[in-house]
Coordinates of all heavy atoms in Angstrom, one line a residue:
Chain X
D38 N -1.8 2.1 -10.4 CA -2.1 2.1 -11.8 C -3.1 1.0 -12.2 O -3.6 0.3 -11.3 CB -0.8 2.0 -12.6 CG -0.1 0.6 -12.4 OD1 -0.7 -0.3 -12.0 OD2 1.1 0.6 -12.6
S39 N -3.4 0.9 -13.5 CA -4.4 0.0 -13.9 C -4.1 -1.5 -13.7 O -4.9 -2.3 -13.7 CB -4.7 0.2 -15.4 OG -3.5 0.0 -16.1
K40 N -2.8 -1.8 -13.5 CA -2.4 -3.1 -13.1 C -2.3 -3.3 -11.6 O -1.7 -4.3 -11.2 CB -1.0 -3.4 -13.8 CG -1.1 -3.5 -15.3 CD 0.2 -3.9 -16.0 CE 0.0 -3.9 -17.5 NZ 1.3 -4.3 -18.2
K41 N -2.8 -2.4 -10.9 CA -2.9 -2.5 -9.4 C -1.5 -2.3 -8.7 O -1.5 -2.5 -7.5 CB -3.5 -3.8 -9.0 CG -4.9 -4.0 -9.5 CD -5.8 -4.2 -8.3 CE -7.3 -4.3 -8.8 NZ -8.2 -4.9 -7.9
F42 N -0.5 -1.9 -9.4 CA 0.8 -1.6 -8.8 C 0.7 -0.4 -7.9 O 0.3 0.7 -8.4 CB 1.9 -1.5 -9.8 CG 3.2 -1.2 -9.2 CD1 3.7 -2.0 -8.2 CD2 4.0 -0.2 -9.7 CE1 5.0 -1.8 -7.7 CE2 5.3 0.1 -9.1 CZ 5.8 -0.7 -8.1
L43 N 1.1 -0.5 -6.6 CA 1.0 0.6 -5.7 C 2.4 1.2 -5.6 O 3.4 0.6 -5.2 CB 0.7 0.0 -4.3 CG -0.7 0.0 -3.8 CD1 -0.8 -0.8 -2.5 CD2 -1.3 1.3 -3.7
K44 N 2.4 2.5 -5.9 CA 3.7 3.2 -5.9 C 3.6 4.4 -5.0 O 2.7 5.3 -5.1 CB 4.0 3.7 -7.3 CG 5.3 4.4 -7.5 CD 5.5 4.8 -8.9 CE 6.5 5.9 -9.1 NZ 7.9 5.6 -8.6
I45 N 4.5 4.5 -4.0 CA 4.5 5.7 -3.1 C 4.9 6.9 -3.9 O 5.8 6.9 -4.7 CB 5.4 5.4 -1.9 CG1 5.1 6.5 -0.8 CG2 6.9 5.4 -2.3 CD1 5.7 6.2 0.5
M46 N 4.3 8.0 -3.5 CA 4.6 9.3 -4.1 C 5.3 10.2 -3.1 O 6.4 10.8 -3.3 CB 3.4 10.0 -4.7 CG 2.7 9.1 -5.7 SD 1.1 9.9 -6.2 CE 1.7 11.3 -7.1
F47 N 4.6 10.4 -2.0 CA 5.1 11.3 -1.0 C 4.8 10.8 0.4 O 3.8 10.0 0.6 CB 4.4 12.7 -1.1 CG 4.5 13.4 -2.4 CD1 3.5 13.4 -3.3 CD2 5.7 14.0 -2.7 CE1 3.7 14.0 -4.6 CE2 5.9 14.7 -4.0 CZ 4.8 14.6 -4.9
S48 N 5.5 11.3 1.4 CA 5.2 11.0 2.8 C 5.5 12.2 3.6 O 6.6 12.9 3.4 CB 6.1 9.8 3.2 OG 6.0 9.7 4.6
Y49 N 4.7 12.5 4.5 CA 4.9 13.7 5.4 C 4.8 13.2 6.9 O 4.0 12.3 7.2 CB 3.7 14.7 5.2 CG 4.0 15.8 4.2 CD1 3.9 15.5 2.9 CD2 4.3 17.1 4.6 CE1 4.2 16.4 1.9 CE2 4.5 18.0 3.7 CZ 4.5 17.7 2.3 OH 4.7 18.7 1.4
N50 N 5.7 13.7 7.7 CA 5.7 13.4 9.1 C 5.6 14.7 9.8 O 6.5 15.6 9.7 CB 7.0 12.7 9.5 CG 7.0 12.3 11.0 OD1 7.6 13.0 11.8 ND2 6.3 11.3 11.4
N51 N 4.5 14.9 10.6 CA 4.3 16.2 11.3 C 4.4 17.4 10.4 O 5.2 18.3 10.7 CB 5.2 16.3 12.5 CG 4.7 15.6 13.7 OD1 3.5 15.7 14.1 ND2 5.6 14.9 14.4
K52 N 3.8 17.3 9.3 CA 3.8 18.4 8.3 C 5.1 18.6 7.5 O 5.2 19.5 6.7 CB 3.4 19.7 8.9 CG 2.0 19.7 9.5 CD 1.5 21.1 10.0 CE 2.4 22.2 10.1 NZ 1.9 23.5 10.5
E53 N 6.1 17.7 7.8 CA 7.3 17.8 7.1 C 7.5 16.8 6.0 O 7.3 15.6 6.3 CB 8.5 17.7 8.1 CG 9.2 19.0 8.3 CD 10.5 18.8 9.2 OE1 11.5 18.3 8.6 OE2 10.4 19.0 10.4
L54 N 7.9 17.1 4.8 CA 8.1 16.2 3.8 C 9.3 15.3 4.1 O 10.4 15.7 4.3 CB 8.4 16.9 2.4 CG 8.5 16.1 1.2 CD1 7.2 15.3 0.8 CD2 9.0 16.9 0.0
I55 N 9.1 13.9 4.1 CA 10.2 13.0 4.4 C 10.4 12.0 3.2 O 11.5 11.5 3.1 CB 9.9 12.2 5.7 CG1 8.6 11.4 5.7 CG2 10.0 13.1 6.9 CD1 8.4 10.5 6.9
I56 N 9.4 11.8 2.4 CA 9.7 10.9 1.2 C 9.1 11.7 0.0 O 8.0 12.2 0.0 CB 9.0 9.6 1.3 CG1 9.6 8.7 2.3 CG2 9.1 8.9 -0.1 CD1 8.9 7.4 2.5
N57 N 9.9 11.9 -1.0 CA 9.5 12.5 -2.2 C 10.1 11.7 -3.4 O 11.2 11.8 -3.8 CB 10.1 14.0 -2.3 CG 9.6 14.7 -3.5 OD1 8.9 14.2 -4.4 ND2 9.8 16.0 -3.5
E58 N 9.2 10.8 -3.9 CA 9.7 9.9 -4.9 C 9.8 10.7 -6.2 O 9.4 11.8 -6.3 CB 8.6 8.8 -5.1 CG 8.8 7.7 -4.1 CD 10.2 7.0 -4.2 OE1 10.4 6.3 -5.2 OE2 11.0 7.3 -3.4
T59 N 10.4 10.0 -7.2 CA 10.6 10.7 -8.5 C 9.2 10.8 -9.2 O 8.8 10.0 -10.0 CB 11.5 9.9 -9.4 OG1 12.7 9.6 -8.6 CG2 11.9 10.7 -10.6
V60 N 8.5 11.9 -8.8 CA 7.3 12.2 -9.5 C 7.4 13.5 -10.2 O 8.2 14.3 -9.8 CB 6.1 12.2 -8.6 CG1 5.9 10.8 -7.9 CG2 6.2 13.3 -7.5
P61 N 6.7 13.8 -11.3 CA 6.8 15.0 -12.0 C 6.5 16.2 -11.0 O 5.7 16.1 -10.1 CB 5.7 14.9 -13.1 CG 5.5 13.5 -13.3 CD 5.7 12.8 -11.9
N62 N 7.1 17.3 -11.3 CA 6.9 18.5 -10.5 C 5.5 19.0 -10.6 O 5.1 19.9 -9.8 CB 7.8 19.7 -11.1 CG 9.2 19.4 -10.8 OD1 9.6 18.6 -9.9 ND2 10.1 20.1 -11.6

Side-chain angles (χ1 to χ4, degrees):
Chain X
D38 63 23
S39 58
K40 294 185 179 178
K41 299 237 171 158
F42 180 49
L43 268 171
K44 181 178 160 60
I45 191 166
M46 301 174 70
F47 302 103
S48 169
Y49 270 74
N50 181 263
N51 277 317
K52 300 190 340 179
E53 250 188 80
L54 181 66
I55 56 173
I56 293 176
N57 185 352
E58 279 300 287
T59 310
V60 299
N62 291 339

